[in-house]
Amino acid sequence: MAKERSSGAGDPARTLELLWREGAADGGSRRGSRQGPRQGPRQGSRRGPRQGLTVDAVVDAAIGLADEGGLDALTMRAVAQRLGVTPMTLYTYVPGKAELLDLMLDTAFLRMPRAAFAADEPWRERVTAVAGENRALYLRHPWVAELRVHRPPLGPGVMTKYEHELGAFEGLGLDDVAMDSALTHVLGFVQSVARAELDARAVDRESAMSDHEWWAAHEPLLARMFDAERFPLASRVGEAAAVAYQGVYSPDHAYAFGLARVLDGLAALIPPAAAGR
């Protein structure tokens, strides 16, 4: 199960060949029609790539399933059913689920909307844009937040994303290691708050009640059981927070408050002259 929620768990050589399939022997392009891997059936065999089916179609079907039901809904059999083929047919295009996960992740990264940075744009605005792009990605594709990405697939999507996001820190007087570390820090924060937001949405969905509805239903019992004199700080602060959040938790507030603190921390690393540019 752990392997099925991790990137980089498949055959590295086959994964890289599929990720960078622009120059593959089949002549396919990243955005055009592609046939299956080079290790296809011999000429004359009846078992070959299905006409009209491509690696992109397999990846798109897998992403659709994961968007709808999470990684638990993603199986090779389910992908085959969505495409109207047998599971064995998929292996003509993708060696297995591990490699498919890498292709899905790289494709999601490649398709992320990205705004170009203006030369005179303040660094906080650039980093805020990067954070917002990643938050939107997690909310659009919740399964991405489920994946453990310790060894990311080094495909065009990953590299395009990394190149773009490093640009938010370029010219700030940071050395290369500090730039990478700063980006990692920002992305780690965004992933953590995105997971919390997705968990909150799942609770709402599974209970068929919003936080506001849940607290309204249980407030009479809590009022009888909770001793405000015994827990004065919890009572005072909790009530103020509940009013501000209109519930027990506000994803938007947690994100905005946390990102501001992350930016304040990064500001300590940036020389004043560079920060003011």
Side-chain angles (χ1 to χ4, degrees):
M1 181 63 72
K3 183 178 179 180
E4 294 184 350
R5 293 178 179 269
S6 301
S7 69
D11 181 338
R14 293 296 294 115
T15 298
L16 285 172
E17 183 183 57
L18 285 167
L19 287 168
W20 295 95
R21 54 195 184 272
E22 292 181 353
D26 54 49
S29 66
R30 181 74 185 176
R31 295 189 180 277
S33 175
R34 287 192 273 301
Q35 299 300 319
R38 281 183 256 182
Q39 293 89 336
R42 296 178 181 176
Q43 187 175 3
S45 170
R46 293 185 179 181
R47 294 179 59 193
R50 176 194 173 198
Q51 188 174 3
L53 189 60
T54 64
V55 174
D56 282 339
V58 174
V59 173
D60 288 342
I63 289 175
L65 283 169
D67 285 348
E68 295 164 12
L71 294 179
D72 289 339
L74 180 66
T75 66
M76 297 297 279
R77 182 175 297 277
V79 175
Q81 289 177 343
R82 173 157 292 200
L83 292 169
V85 299
T86 65
M88 287 304 298
T89 300
L90 292 187
Y91 294 105
T92 307
Y93 300 87
V94 180
K97 185 175 177 180
E99 292 82 5
L100 180 57
L101 284 171
D102 283 343
L103 290 166
M104 291 166 60
L105 182 64
D106 195 73
T107 297
F109 285 171
L110 190 64
R111 294 174 178 173
M112 285 177 66
R114 281 180 273 267
F117 300 130
D120 58 348
E121 189 173 4
W123 73 268
R124 283 178 178 261
E125 293 184 14
R126 300 202 303 263
V127 176
T128 296
V130 166
E133 290 162 2
N134 279 272
R135 186 189 186 200
L137 171 73
Y138 288 126
L139 299 184
R140 188 181 309 113
H141 302 297
W143 55 271
V144 176
E146 297 180 54
L147 278 175
R148 288 191 289 271
V149 191
H150 178 64
R151 297 173 181 171
L154 298 181
V158 168
M159 298 310 298
T160 298
K161 182 177 186 292
Y162 188 48
E163 179 78 13
H164 165 74
E165 292 171 353
L166 285 173
F169 300 93
E170 179 72 341
L172 297 182
L174 302 177
D175 63 38
D176 290 348
V177 174
M179 287 174 63
D180 179 83
S181 298
L183 176 59
T184 299
H185 181 56
V186 172
L187 298 184
F189 160 74
V190 175
Q191 185 178 41
S192 68
V193 295
R195 282 177 171 171
E197 181 170 358
L198 292 168
D199 287 345
R201 290 186 178 189
V203 169
D204 288 351
R205 185 170 58 252
E206 292 165 5
S207 67
M209 298 177 71
S210 66
D211 277 349
H212 180 75
E213 292 169 335
W214 189 92
W215 283 105
H218 293 84
E219 186 175 10
L221 176 61
L222 291 170
R224 291 198 305 270
M225 301 296 294
F226 184 72
D227 186 352
E229 293 184 359
R230 183 181 177 186
F231 306 106
L233 280 177
S235 178
R236 188 190 79 216
V237 174
E239 182 176 355
V243 171
Y245 304 156
Q246 292 297 298
V248 68
Y249 173 71
S250 169
D252 290 337
H253 177 84
Y255 174 76
F257 180 88
L259 180 59
R261 305 293 76 77
V262 169
L263 295 174
D264 290 343
L266 292 176
L269 299 175
I270 300 172
R277 268 203 303 271

